mmCIF file of all heavy atoms in Angstrom:
data_model
loop_
_atom_site.group_PDB
_atom_site.id
_atom_site.type_symbol
_atom_site.label_atom_id
_atom_site.label_comp_id
_atom_site.label_asym_id
_atom_site.label_seq_id
_atom_site.Cartn_x
_atom_site.Cartn_y
_atom_site.Cartn_z
ATOM 1 N N LYS A 4 -72.158 85.499 -116.018
ATOM 2 C CA LYS A 4 -72.049 84.047 -115.828
ATOM 3 C C LYS A 4 -70.907 83.481 -116.675
ATOM 4 O O LYS A 4 -70.159 82.608 -116.218
ATOM 5 C CB LYS A 4 -73.380 83.350 -116.169
ATOM 6 C CG LYS A 4 -73.364 81.877 -115.858
ATOM 7 C CD LYS A 4 -73.099 81.633 -114.382
ATOM 8 C CE LYS A 4 -73.010 80.161 -114.071
ATOM 9 N NZ LYS A 4 -72.607 79.899 -112.680
ATOM 10 N N ILE A 8 -67.626 81.473 -115.224
ATOM 11 C CA ILE A 8 -67.160 80.177 -115.727
ATOM 12 C C ILE A 8 -65.682 80.263 -116.096
ATOM 13 O O ILE A 8 -64.890 79.384 -115.749
ATOM 14 C CB ILE A 8 -68.013 79.712 -116.928
ATOM 15 C CG1 ILE A 8 -69.424 79.344 -116.450
ATOM 16 C CG2 ILE A 8 -67.351 78.537 -117.660
ATOM 17 C CD1 ILE A 8 -70.434 79.114 -117.558
ATOM 18 N N GLU A 11 -63.523 80.427 -112.951
ATOM 19 C CA GLU A 11 -63.455 79.123 -112.283
ATOM 20 C C GLU A 11 -62.585 78.142 -113.066
ATOM 21 O O GLU A 11 -61.710 77.485 -112.501
ATOM 22 C CB GLU A 11 -64.861 78.556 -112.120
ATOM 23 C CG GLU A 11 -64.886 77.229 -111.405
ATOM 24 C CD GLU A 11 -66.299 76.688 -111.248
ATOM 25 O OE1 GLU A 11 -67.222 77.488 -111.015
ATOM 26 O OE2 GLU A 11 -66.458 75.472 -111.375
ATOM 27 N N GLN A 12 -62.803 78.058 -114.355
ATOM 28 C CA GLN A 12 -62.060 77.099 -115.179
ATOM 29 C C GLN A 12 -60.570 77.430 -115.273
ATOM 30 O O GLN A 12 -59.744 76.528 -115.352
ATOM 31 C CB GLN A 12 -62.655 77.030 -116.591
ATOM 32 C CG GLN A 12 -64.021 76.409 -116.658
ATOM 33 C CD GLN A 12 -64.005 74.927 -116.359
ATOM 34 O OE1 GLN A 12 -63.118 74.208 -116.771
ATOM 35 N NE2 GLN A 12 -64.995 74.461 -115.624
ATOM 36 N N VAL A 37 -59.699 75.651 -123.196
ATOM 37 C CA VAL A 37 -60.772 76.127 -124.068
ATOM 38 C C VAL A 37 -61.851 75.051 -124.207
ATOM 39 O O VAL A 37 -63.046 75.358 -124.123
ATOM 40 C CB VAL A 37 -60.217 76.545 -125.452
ATOM 41 C CG1 VAL A 37 -61.358 76.830 -126.429
ATOM 42 C CG2 VAL A 37 -59.312 77.764 -125.310
ATOM 43 N N MET A 38 -61.446 73.813 -124.383
ATOM 44 C CA MET A 38 -62.432 72.724 -124.504
ATOM 45 C C MET A 38 -63.223 72.562 -123.211
ATOM 46 O O MET A 38 -64.445 72.371 -123.245
ATOM 47 C CB MET A 38 -61.742 71.416 -124.892
ATOM 48 C CG MET A 38 -61.134 71.433 -126.282
ATOM 49 S SD MET A 38 -62.251 71.991 -127.592
ATOM 50 C CE MET A 38 -63.504 70.743 -127.535
ATOM 51 N N ASP A 39 -62.551 72.660 -122.070
ATOM 52 C CA ASP A 39 -63.233 72.567 -120.778
ATOM 53 C C ASP A 39 -64.228 73.719 -120.603
ATOM 54 O O ASP A 39 -65.342 73.526 -120.109
ATOM 55 C CB ASP A 39 -62.228 72.572 -119.622
ATOM 56 C CG ASP A 39 -61.433 71.278 -119.533
ATOM 57 O OD1 ASP A 39 -61.844 70.266 -120.136
ATOM 58 O OD2 ASP A 39 -60.373 71.300 -118.858
ATOM 59 N N ILE A 40 -63.821 74.907 -121.014
ATOM 60 C CA ILE A 40 -64.699 76.082 -120.920
ATOM 61 C C ILE A 40 -65.931 75.879 -121.787
ATOM 62 O O ILE A 40 -67.062 76.128 -121.345
ATOM 63 C CB ILE A 40 -63.932 77.362 -121.343
ATOM 64 C CG1 ILE A 40 -62.876 77.710 -120.291
ATOM 65 C CG2 ILE A 40 -64.896 78.519 -121.578
ATOM 66 C CD1 ILE A 40 -61.828 78.705 -120.755
ATOM 67 N N MET A 41 -65.737 75.417 -123.013
ATOM 68 C CA MET A 41 -66.871 75.220 -123.918
ATOM 69 C C MET A 41 -67.810 74.134 -123.404
ATOM 70 O O MET A 41 -69.028 74.258 -123.515
ATOM 71 C CB MET A 41 -66.386 74.899 -125.336
ATOM 72 C CG MET A 41 -65.684 76.054 -126.010
ATOM 73 S SD MET A 41 -66.662 77.580 -126.025
ATOM 74 C CE MET A 41 -65.356 78.798 -126.009
ATOM 75 N N THR A 42 -67.263 73.103 -122.806
ATOM 76 C CA THR A 42 -68.102 72.059 -122.210
ATOM 77 C C THR A 42 -68.944 72.642 -121.082
ATOM 78 O O THR A 42 -70.146 72.363 -120.984
ATOM 79 C CB THR A 42 -67.222 70.901 -121.680
ATOM 80 O OG1 THR A 42 -66.497 70.334 -122.779
ATOM 81 C CG2 THR A 42 -68.064 69.833 -121.015
ATOM 82 N N GLU A 43 -68.339 73.453 -120.257
ATOM 83 C CA GLU A 43 -69.063 74.089 -119.152
ATOM 84 C C GLU A 43 -70.134 75.052 -119.680
ATOM 85 O O GLU A 43 -71.246 75.098 -119.145
ATOM 86 C CB GLU A 43 -68.081 74.832 -118.238
ATOM 87 C CG GLU A 43 -68.685 75.357 -116.975
ATOM 88 C CD GLU A 43 -69.187 74.276 -116.016
ATOM 89 O OE1 GLU A 43 -68.649 73.158 -116.027
ATOM 90 O OE2 GLU A 43 -70.133 74.562 -115.266
ATOM 91 N N ILE A 44 -69.816 75.797 -120.727
ATOM 92 C CA ILE A 44 -70.790 76.704 -121.359
ATOM 93 C C ILE A 44 -71.983 75.908 -121.878
ATOM 94 O O ILE A 44 -73.144 76.282 -121.677
ATOM 95 C CB ILE A 44 -70.127 77.507 -122.511
ATOM 96 C CG1 ILE A 44 -69.055 78.461 -121.994
ATOM 97 C CG2 ILE A 44 -71.178 78.224 -123.366
ATOM 98 C CD1 ILE A 44 -69.534 79.669 -121.253
ATOM 99 N N GLU A 45 -71.702 74.792 -122.536
ATOM 100 C CA GLU A 45 -72.780 73.945 -123.062
ATOM 101 C C GLU A 45 -73.690 73.461 -121.941
ATOM 102 O O GLU A 45 -74.918 73.492 -122.078
ATOM 103 C CB GLU A 45 -72.184 72.746 -123.819
ATOM 104 C CG GLU A 45 -71.559 73.102 -125.136
ATOM 105 C CD GLU A 45 -70.929 71.917 -125.834
ATOM 106 O OE1 GLU A 45 -70.437 70.984 -125.153
ATOM 107 O OE2 GLU A 45 -70.914 71.927 -127.079
ATOM 108 N N GLU A 46 -73.095 73.000 -120.862
ATOM 109 C CA GLU A 46 -73.885 72.484 -119.743
ATOM 110 C C GLU A 46 -74.683 73.596 -119.057
ATOM 111 O O GLU A 46 -75.871 73.426 -118.755
ATOM 112 C CB GLU A 46 -72.978 71.786 -118.737
ATOM 113 C CG GLU A 46 -72.404 70.488 -119.265
ATOM 114 C CD GLU A 46 -71.418 69.845 -118.300
ATOM 115 O OE1 GLU A 46 -71.302 70.287 -117.146
ATOM 116 O OE2 GLU A 46 -70.741 68.889 -118.726
ATOM 117 N N GLU A 47 -74.043 74.713 -118.817
ATOM 118 C CA GLU A 47 -74.686 75.816 -118.092
ATOM 119 C C GLU A 47 -75.864 76.407 -118.866
ATOM 120 O O GLU A 47 -76.893 76.718 -118.285
ATOM 121 C CB GLU A 47 -73.656 76.906 -117.791
ATOM 122 C CG GLU A 47 -74.226 78.111 -117.078
ATOM 123 C CD GLU A 47 -74.707 77.813 -115.664
ATOM 124 O OE1 GLU A 47 -74.131 76.945 -114.983
ATOM 125 O OE2 GLU A 47 -75.681 78.470 -115.224
ATOM 126 N N PHE A 48 -75.700 76.566 -120.165
ATOM 127 C CA PHE A 48 -76.724 77.243 -120.970
ATOM 128 C C PHE A 48 -77.543 76.283 -121.818
ATOM 129 O O PHE A 48 -78.392 76.720 -122.594
ATOM 130 C CB PHE A 48 -76.074 78.317 -121.846
ATOM 131 C CG PHE A 48 -75.449 79.429 -121.034
ATOM 132 C CD1 PHE A 48 -74.085 79.460 -120.805
ATOM 133 C CD2 PHE A 48 -76.236 80.425 -120.484
ATOM 134 C CE1 PHE A 48 -73.511 80.468 -120.051
ATOM 135 C CE2 PHE A 48 -75.684 81.448 -119.731
ATOM 136 C CZ PHE A 48 -74.323 81.467 -119.511
ATOM 137 N N ASP A 49 -77.299 74.984 -121.694
ATOM 138 C CA ASP A 49 -78.037 73.954 -122.416
ATOM 139 C C ASP A 49 -78.043 74.219 -123.925
ATOM 140 O O ASP A 49 -79.099 74.270 -124.563
ATOM 141 C CB ASP A 49 -79.465 73.832 -121.878
ATOM 142 C CG ASP A 49 -80.131 72.554 -122.337
ATOM 143 O OD1 ASP A 49 -79.424 71.557 -122.576
ATOM 144 O OD2 ASP A 49 -81.376 72.547 -122.473
#
Side-chain angles (χ1 to χ4, degrees):
K4 186 60 183 174
I8 291 170
E11 182 180 323
Q12 291 291 320
V37 171
M38 293 310 297
D39 289 343
I40 290 165
M41 292 306 150
T42 299
E43 188 65 28
I44 294 288
E45 288 178 329
E46 291 176 10
E47 178 66 32
F48 296 100
D49 195 28

